[in-house]
Amino acid sequence: MIILDENTRCIVQGITGKQGTFHTQGMLDYDTNIVAGTTPGKGGQKFGEIDVYNSIAEAKKELDINASIIFVPAPFAKDAAYEAISQLDLVVIITEHIPVHDTIDIVEYAQQQDTIVIGPNTPGIITPGVGKLGIMPTHIFQEGEVGLISRSGTLTYEVASQITRAGLGQSTCLGIGGDPVVGMDFSSVLQMFEEDKNTKAMAMIGEIGGNAEETAAEYIREYINKPVVAYIAGVTAPPGKRMGHAGAIIEGESGTAKSKIETLEKAGVQVAERPSQIAEIMKVIL
Amino acid sequence: MKLFEYQAKDLFKKNGINVPTGKIVQSAEEAEEVATEFGIPLALKSQVLVGGRGKAGGIKFADTPSQTYEIANQLLMLEIKGETVKKILMEEKLNVESEFYISVVMDRSAKKPLIMASTQGGMDIEQVAMETPEKLIKYHVNPLEEFLPYQAREIAIQMGVPNPLISKVSGFIFKLFTIFEKYDATTSEINPLVVTPNGVVAADGKFEIDDDALYRQPELLNLVTEEKDEFAYVKLDGDIAVIGNGAGLTLTGMDMLKLYGGKPATFLDIGGGASQENIAQALDLVISNPQVKVVFLNVLGGITRADDVAGGVINVLNETKRKIPLVIRLTGTNEEEGQRILTDAGVSYETSMEAAAEKAVEMARSLN
């Protein structure tokens, strides 16, 4: 497992909002170590057994906290992220539609503070058997040896459920987020899986847009020894159109599925033609 | 959101970036009037958002008012890469001594703004980057530090701008970066930046704004022309409509059709947590597209509930006038309930995306 383990003690920012309430319950149902919540002005309230504070600093005076998950609306997300980055080691930003000028500030500040940022616009991270900081359905995951990284939410669920059905499981699954700029990228997550003794192979799910997959391919060739199986969505996507995710757009010659698949194959990565092939290949490898 | 050249130049002007004297017109009569008022010669520039306008004949020069009338008429009938010309920007014709290139873009992989500048202006900058990369200066700006005029000067010096022009050109770079920040831009470009005997001027302008930041850009809100769609919806040229929950899954649905020899007619992502009404709206939207012969609905419920999806499907099937074959893949949250609703209504479904895609392709083929 990576990033999310038994030592993670998380606060929920925006716990009293609609999204925050719904997904906090989901995280608790999966036995995640959620220790507190914040909403400015609602300090002193309760969410079930959990205390709500006005700020992270206030919560930290009473509790040991090292991670945060953010559900606050986009206009306030940068402020919430800064609050978390300045005091914690891990910040998961679920919020969609954060202006990219805010995201680059968040990412740069996190780097200065040596804080891990996952997202924005991510389904989050799940370590089966330990917990989830995210919004994914949990029944499709099971403890195992495949490390899963993805830019897409539902496609992660598709592949994870097939891996589970194949009798394998996942060490940790992490959605890096569908925005043009995100905190953790493929390479840094792959490196963590490489060093994780519970992970035996990695599944990487990419999509059109940007060059994160190409950069990852270079990284894999240089530094990754464990097997990596990839799938890239968007072979049929036309150029110049944003395909759902803000980041999923082919601009000029760059960002095509073809370029990503070719670069990955050159780096020795097996690229599946269909999502279900990932589980089939994993079964052979493991 | 992309701005038209004339809108970009309005922003430039408002922020102290020198642009040519110009006027926007919508008819040949107006164009002739402007020619009389401005004097000649004039440049007539078709206002479209697609690239490659010059090569497509969208920029012309006129020497007399009557010629202006003729040219404006031609341009207003022009279609450039599927986009019709509705407006023409009329500008003084510039006396070009040299042309530079400057831009600021959001560099996704560096996660920072990137300033690019070159003395090889007027050309396709990707060509400059490939053929003479040493002539394209690239400078990343740390988002947490203030960008200062001396840094802009350093870029101008690196470009190889002649001494008398360094302050002028660096002024353009500094201001271009300033408005990139101020208006939440993702692209801000001047190509070419033209040196004339009367000074330096931004002869063309590109400006693209982050849609997610429009809420805090009141100055730009009146430029928004497109209505915001309920769904992420893209029309394609095939005959099988693809609807899915989540961008990656919907894209994959399209790809699976292709794998089995079919062609997608739409990309429609209903997003997470779609209600019965959302599903019904999405189905109505694609069914109303006459190009669509078969609908492939691909749902793996996470936040989206399979029973809601099934309910939405049944509502549409009961109400719609156009009967269209529908292939449904339905799994995920509340799948037992969703599948039961479909079975009770006599609607078949698949649980594998790939099997469903194959079935949709066979259906489309049998209708040909």
Side-chain angles (χ1 to χ4, degrees), chain A residues 13 68-74 76-82 84-85 90-98 102-107 110 115-125 133-135 175-179 181-184:
Chain A
Q13 286 174 272
S68 156
I69 181 164
I70 295 179
F71 290 101
V72 307
F76 315 105
K78 177 179 161 180
D79 187 38
Y82 265 54
I85 291 165
L90 168 65
V91 182
V92 181
I93 308 173
I94 304 295
T95 311
E96 286 184 79
H97 299 301
I98 299 178
D102 286 0
T103 305
I104 59 170
D105 291 353
I106 293 168
V107 169
T115 297
I116 292 177
V117 166
I118 298 174
N121 189 14
T122 169
I125 177 170
L133 296 180
I135 60 174
I176 61 172
D179 279 359
V181 175
V182 290
M184 286 218 100

Side-chain angles (χ1 to χ4, degrees), chain B residues 270-292:
Chain B
I270 54 173
S275 63
Q276 286 203 20
E277 290 73 35
N278 294 145
I279 304 289
Q281 279 166 6
L283 282 169
D284 280 335
L285 188 61
V286 298
I287 289 173
S288 68
N289 175 350
Q291 197 186 308
V292 172

Side-chain angles (χ1 to χ4, degrees), chain B residues 334-345:
Chain B
N334 292 5
E335 63 184 22
E336 294 83 7
E337 180 63 9
Q339 292 166 354
R340 191 192 58 76
I341 293 171
L342 291 180
T343 308
D344 287 354

Side-chain angles (χ1 to χ4, degrees), chain B residues 2-281:
Chain B
K2 280 184 186 172
L3 299 191
F4 287 104
E5 179 194 4
Y6 74 94
Q7 295 170 325
K9 283 178 166 169
D10 280 349
L11 274 192
F12 287 179
K13 203 172 162 186
K14 218 190 272 178
N15 289 278
I17 294 175
N18 192 23
V19 298
T21 312
K23 201 160 188 182
I24 194 81
V25 299
Q26 298 190 65
S27 71
E29 289 77 19
E30 268 184 275
E32 196 176 2
E33 275 171 38
V34 172
T36 320
E37 178 194 335
F38 273 28
I40 37 177
L42 284 169
L44 284 87
K45 307 173 85 180
S46 307
Q47 297 298 292
V48 286
L49 296 174
V50 291
R53 168 182 67 168
K55 279 182 200 148
I59 301 174
K60 298 266 196 244
F61 298 97
D63 292 323
T64 66
S66 63
Q67 199 190 359
T68 308
Y69 183 91
E70 288 304 317
I71 291 174
N73 239 342
Q74 287 166 23
L75 290 181
L76 287 168
M77 287 190 292
L78 204 61
E79 199 185 273
I80 301 175
K81 292 182 188 167
E83 198 181 331
T84 51
V85 178
K86 295 194 183 107
K87 289 179 180 174
I88 300 170
L89 177 61
M90 301 188 54
E91 286 183 341
E92 53 174 328
K93 192 178 173 188
L94 299 171
N95 197 346
V96 178
E97 286 179 350
S98 51
E99 297 180 308
F100 301 147
Y101 169 93
I102 57 175
S103 72
V104 189
V105 297
M106 194 57 86
D107 184 342
R108 294 172 63 154
S109 45
K111 307 174 188 182
K112 289 179 172 74
L114 170 65
I115 299 175
M116 290 190 283
S118 174
T119 50
Q120 311 290 301
M123 303 171 51
D124 179 6
I125 202 63
E126 278 169 17
Q127 202 182 331
V128 176
M130 282 229 288
E131 287 166 11
T132 49
E134 73 283 357
K135 289 189 173 152
L136 182 66
I137 307 306
K138 293 183 169 186
Y139 186 97
H140 282 107
V141 181
N142 183 325
L144 300 187
E145 287 168 14
E146 192 185 350
F147 182 67
L148 295 165
Y150 87 89
Q151 293 168 311
R153 277 201 303 282
E154 283 180 350
I155 295 169
I157 293 162
Q158 276 188 56
M159 283 166 74
V161 169
N163 279 356
L165 289 173
I166 287 174
S167 290
K168 268 259 181 287
V169 171
S170 70
F172 277 89
I173 296 171
F174 184 74
K175 285 174 192 160
L176 194 66
F177 183 80
T178 307
I179 62 168
F180 177 83
E181 293 274 282
K182 178 178 170 187
Y183 294 110
D184 275 299
T186 52
T187 300
S188 150
E189 181 187 89
I190 300 175
N191 186 27
L193 180 68
V194 167
V195 183
T196 75
N198 308 321
V200 183
V201 58
D204 198 358
K206 264 195 203 139
F207 208 74
E208 192 168 351
I209 298 147
D210 180 4
D211 291 340
D212 289 335
L214 280 174
Y215 74 89
R216 63 183 182 196
Q217 295 294 346
E219 240 183 282
L220 302 175
L221 274 180
N222 61 338
L223 302 178
V224 178
T225 48
E226 286 170 36
E227 266 180 63
K228 210 162 178 196
D229 293 330
E230 186 101 15
F231 310 107
Y233 179 46
V234 178
K235 279 189 189 169
L236 304 159
D237 55 8
D239 54 6
I240 305 172
V242 180
I243 305 175
N245 63 321
L249 193 70
T250 313
L251 273 177
T252 305
M254 286 166 50
D255 294 348
M256 292 307 104
L257 289 182
K258 193 192 173 200
L259 199 65
Y260 295 111
K263 282 189 95 178
T266 68
F267 165 98
L268 198 163
D269 173 11
I270 54 173
S275 63
Q276 286 203 20
E277 290 73 35
N278 294 145
I279 304 289
Q281 279 166 6

